[in-house]
Amino acid sequence: MKHRPTDIRLHRQARMLEMVYADDEAHRLSCEFLRVHSPSAEVTGHGPGQEVLQVGKEDVTITGIEPVGNYGIKLVFSDGHDTGIYDWNYLYHLGVDQARMWQTYLERLEAAGHQRQG
């Protein structure tokens, strides 16, 4: 995989997952952001337009990180969600495109009549 991190650090108190890359580039992603952008079918659905908006994930934490082959990790969240496999390229994409993706998520929440509690 092209964007494999050289180090992954879970900052429990800050509820952030940090990926560090060989060129010293680093991305810090909140547990909430990772949870609502899980690549699992529960979140993405089974095809375009079937995405399921995740709400009430403000306080979620990561309770486990499990390697998946040489291509990614499985994150275990405090709400019991553990079915998404985050491959290295997807994690890198989340880091690079975090601001736009977060704004889109907030707009989707608002359009659906939900408000973040944090």
Side-chain angles (χ1 to χ4, degrees):
M1 290 246 137
K2 184 176 169 189
H3 296 291
R4 183 179 185 142
T6 56
D7 194 15
I8 298 173
R9 301 176 189 142
L10 178 59
H11 302 279
R12 289 186 191 278
Q13 280 196 266
R15 293 197 311 248
M16 302 287 280
L17 187 68
E18 180 178 20
M19 273 78 53
V20 180
Y21 297 90
D23 59 1
D24 289 331
E25 181 177 6
H27 300 142
R28 289 175 61 110
L29 305 171
S30 74
C31 294
E32 178 186 6
F33 179 80
L34 288 162
R35 175 61 180 85
V36 302
H37 290 95
S38 170
S40 71
E42 175 188 323
V43 175
T44 63
H46 293 283
Q50 295 183 3
E51 299 84 6
V52 179
L53 182 63
Q54 302 297 300
V55 298
K57 303 302 178 186
E58 295 87 343
D59 295 324
V60 75
T61 60
I62 293 172
T63 59
I65 302 171
E66 301 171 9
V68 178
N70 289 319
Y71 65 90
I73 54 177
K74 179 173 90 165
L75 299 177
V76 179
F77 293 93
S78 58
D79 67 353
H81 181 74
D82 67 354
T83 57
I85 296 175
Y86 295 76
D87 72 41
W88 303 134
N89 288 338
Y90 184 62
L91 280 169
Y92 186 81
H93 163 70
L94 290 176
V96 169
D97 216 10
Q98 180 178 192
R100 183 194 61 78
M101 292 176 76
W102 183 249
Q103 186 58 44
T104 299
Y105 171 70
L106 294 177
E107 290 168 3
R108 288 182 65 213
L109 276 180
E110 185 177 337
H114 295 284
Q115 192 168 15
R116 285 185 72 250
Q117 301 302 310

